[in-house]
Amino acid sequence: MFDDLYPYNATLLAINAELQLVAALIFPNPVHDYLFIHPGIINGQLREISVLDLAGKKLLGKELMKSSGEGIDVSILLPGEYLCKLVDTETGAYCVRKFIKN
Protein backbone atom coordinates (compact mmCIF):
# COMPACT_ATOMS: atom_id res chain seq x y z
CA MET A 1 0.00 0.00 0.00
CA PHE A 2 1.04 3.61 -0.48
CA ASP A 3 0.08 6.90 1.01
CA ASP A 4 1.07 10.16 -0.67
CA LEU A 5 4.79 9.82 -0.05
CA TYR A 6 5.77 6.63 1.75
CA PRO A 7 5.04 2.95 1.09
CA TYR A 8 3.95 0.92 4.10
CA ASN A 9 2.71 -2.55 4.87
CA ALA A 10 -0.26 -3.02 7.25
CA THR A 11 0.90 -6.57 8.04
CA LEU A 12 4.22 -5.30 9.37
CA LEU A 13 2.43 -2.77 11.55
CA ALA A 14 0.31 -5.53 13.12
CA ILE A 15 3.35 -7.74 13.74
CA ASN A 16 5.14 -4.83 15.38
CA ALA A 17 2.21 -4.32 17.78
CA GLU A 18 2.22 -8.04 18.66
CA LEU A 19 5.96 -7.99 19.31
CA GLN A 20 5.50 -5.06 21.68
CA LEU A 21 2.95 -7.08 23.66
CA VAL A 22 5.51 -9.85 24.13
CA ALA A 23 7.32 -7.57 26.59
CA ALA A 24 4.26 -7.27 28.86
CA LEU A 25 4.72 -8.87 32.29
CA ILE A 26 2.35 -10.11 34.98
CA PHE A 27 3.42 -10.45 38.62
CA PRO A 28 3.56 -11.93 41.19
CA ASN A 29 3.41 -15.47 39.92
CA PRO A 30 2.13 -17.41 41.81
CA VAL A 31 -0.44 -14.84 42.93
CA HIS A 32 -2.66 -14.77 46.02
CA ASP A 33 -5.08 -11.89 45.54
CA TYR A 34 -3.99 -9.20 43.05
CA LEU A 35 -2.26 -9.72 39.72
CA PHE A 36 -0.31 -6.68 38.52
CA ILE A 37 0.47 -5.77 34.92
CA HIS A 38 3.65 -4.14 33.68
CA PRO A 39 3.18 -3.22 30.02
CA GLY A 40 6.86 -3.32 29.09
CA ILE A 41 7.38 -1.36 25.87
CA ILE A 42 3.71 -1.06 24.97
CA ASN A 43 3.71 2.71 25.59
CA GLY A 44 0.23 2.83 27.04
CA GLN A 45 -1.55 0.86 24.30
CA LEU A 46 -2.58 -2.02 26.59
CA ARG A 47 -6.27 -1.49 27.29
CA GLU A 48 -7.82 -4.76 28.45
CA ILE A 49 -6.96 -7.70 30.68
CA SER A 50 -8.92 -10.96 30.88
CA VAL A 51 -8.46 -13.99 33.11
CA LEU A 52 -9.32 -17.28 31.43
CA ASP A 53 -9.47 -20.86 32.60
CA LEU A 54 -7.27 -23.36 30.75
CA ALA A 55 -10.14 -24.15 28.39
CA GLY A 56 -10.23 -20.49 27.31
CA LYS A 57 -13.44 -19.49 29.13
CA LYS A 58 -13.36 -15.87 30.31
CA LEU A 59 -13.71 -15.68 34.09
CA LEU A 60 -12.73 -12.07 34.83
CA GLY A 61 -12.12 -8.95 32.78
CA LYS A 62 -11.12 -5.35 33.24
CA GLU A 63 -10.40 -2.33 31.08
CA LEU A 64 -7.15 -0.61 31.99
CA MET A 65 -7.00 3.16 32.36
CA LYS A 66 -3.30 3.79 33.00
CA SER A 67 -0.23 2.64 31.11
CA SER A 68 1.31 0.79 34.09
CA GLY A 69 0.81 -0.20 37.69
CA GLU A 70 -2.66 -1.62 37.18
CA GLY A 71 -3.90 -5.11 37.69
CA ILE A 72 -6.87 -7.30 38.44
CA ASP A 73 -8.27 -8.78 41.65
CA VAL A 74 -8.10 -12.58 41.40
CA SER A 75 -8.93 -13.34 45.04
CA ILE A 76 -12.27 -14.95 44.09
CA LEU A 77 -10.56 -17.60 41.94
CA LEU A 78 -9.96 -21.09 43.29
CA PRO A 79 -6.32 -22.21 43.53
CA GLY A 80 -5.03 -23.52 40.21
CA GLU A 81 -3.61 -22.55 36.83
CA TYR A 82 -5.11 -19.74 34.75
CA LEU A 83 -4.37 -17.67 31.66
CA CYS A 84 -4.07 -13.89 31.54
CA LYS A 85 -4.91 -12.34 28.16
CA LEU A 86 -3.54 -8.84 27.55
CA VAL A 87 -5.15 -6.98 24.66
CA ASP A 88 -4.28 -3.82 22.74
CA THR A 89 -7.82 -2.83 21.76
CA GLU A 90 -6.54 -0.27 19.25
CA THR A 91 -4.75 -2.84 17.07
CA GLY A 92 -6.34 -6.10 18.21
CA ALA A 93 -2.93 -7.53 19.11
CA TYR A 94 -2.83 -9.69 22.22
CA CYS A 95 -0.64 -12.01 24.24
CA VAL A 96 -1.45 -14.70 26.76
CA ARG A 97 0.49 -15.41 29.96
CA LYS A 98 0.01 -18.40 32.26
CA PHE A 99 -0.15 -17.87 36.03
CA ILE A 100 -0.81 -19.85 39.18
CA LYS A 101 -3.36 -18.79 41.80
CA ASN A 102 -2.49 -19.91 45.37
Side-chain angles (χ1 to χ4, degrees), residues 34-35 47-51 58 60-65 69-73 85:
Y34 206 80
L35 187 66
R47 299 285 188 248
E48 184 179 295
I49 177 174
S50 299
V51 174
K58 184 175 178 179
L60 301 170
K62 179 180 177 183
E63 288 187 25
L64 301 177
M65 300 300 172
E70 285 201 69
I72 190 166
D73 184 358
K85 183 177 181 180

Side-chain angles (χ1 to χ4, degrees), residues 9-100:
N9 186 322
T11 303
L12 291 178
L13 295 174
I15 290 171
N16 186 39
E18 290 173 15
L19 290 175
Q20 289 180 356
L21 280 171
V22 170
L25 302 173
I26 60 171
F27 61 93
N29 192 7
V31 61
H32 181 67
D33 56 0
Y34 206 80
L35 187 66
F36 291 94
I37 311 304
H38 185 277
I41 59 171
I42 296 172
N43 297 327
Q45 296 173 2
L46 181 64
R47 299 285 188 248
E48 184 179 295
I49 177 174
S50 299
V51 174
L52 316 171
D53 63 16
L54 293 181
K57 179 181 175 186
K58 184 175 178 179
L59 304 174
L60 301 170
K62 179 180 177 183
E63 288 187 25
L64 301 177
M65 300 300 172
K66 297 187 243 175
S67 61
S68 65
E70 285 201 69
I72 190 166
D73 184 358
V74 295
S75 61
I76 64 168
L77 298 175
L78 296 174
E81 294 182 17
Y82 295 91
L83 302 173
C84 177
K85 183 177 181 180
L86 308 169
V87 180
D88 176 345
T89 55
E90 292 176 6
T91 65
Y94 67 92
C95 69
V96 178
R97 300 280 185 261
K98 190 175 191 180
F99 71 94
I100 297 171

